[in-house]
Amino acid sequence: QVQLVESGGGLVQAGGSLRLSCAASGSIFSINVMNWYRQAPGKQRELVAGSTSGGSTNYADSVKGRFTISRDNAKNTVYLQMNSLKPDDTAVYYCNAEVSRPLSGWAKFWGQGTQVTVSS
């Protein structure tokens, strides 16, 4: 099995910064895409940022220029540096990864989520 564990969430004032981490562990042969999603109360889960093993990244328009996704492939870890935070960024942030497992092939896994709250 594969586990994704997020950390780094919390309460911050508008304009502040937070850095989220997501570490993948377990039966892992390789990881392709690692993404950050978020879900605010009453809203659908949305893709915030994504990163491929080749180094390509993509961002939601709402976070471009403020958030930066990066990863440490040796540690199977993805990060999300969030700057200039706004109250609209308040949500539960989830890590998602596409993982290749020995003898089992590719599958997608989710972390348990970490709360980010931005006060005005």
Side-chain angles (χ1 to χ4, degrees), residues 86-98:
K86 305 175 181 179
D88 284 349
D89 295 319
T90 296
V92 178
Y93 284 70
Y94 297 91
C95 175
N96 164 271
E98 187 177 74

Side-chain angles (χ1 to χ4, degrees), residues 2 4 7 13 15 32 56 67 76 80 83-84 88 93 110 112 115-116 119:
V2 174
L4 300 181
S7 61
Q13 287 187 334
N32 183 14
S56 299
F67 291 10
N76 290 332
L80 186 68
N83 298 328
S84 302
D88 284 349
Y93 284 70
W110 290 90
Q112 81 287 353
Q115 177 70 46
V116 171
S119 63

Side-chain angles (χ1 to χ4, degrees), residues 32-81:
N32 183 14
V33 178
M34 298 188 84
N35 299 312
W36 285 99
Y37 285 77
R38 67 185 180 187
Q39 187 166 20
K43 295 186 178 181
Q44 289 188 331
R45 191 172 296 190
E46 63 173 351
L47 178 65
V48 175
S51 172
T52 69
S53 57
S56 299
T57 59
N58 62 284
Y59 296 92
D61 288 343
S62 59
V63 306
K64 283 181 180 177
R66 300 187 299 121
F67 291 10
T68 303
I69 189 171
S70 61
R71 56 193 282 181
D72 184 334
N73 291 325
K75 295 182 179 179
N76 290 332
T77 299
V78 64
Y79 306 96
L80 186 68
Q81 178 66 43

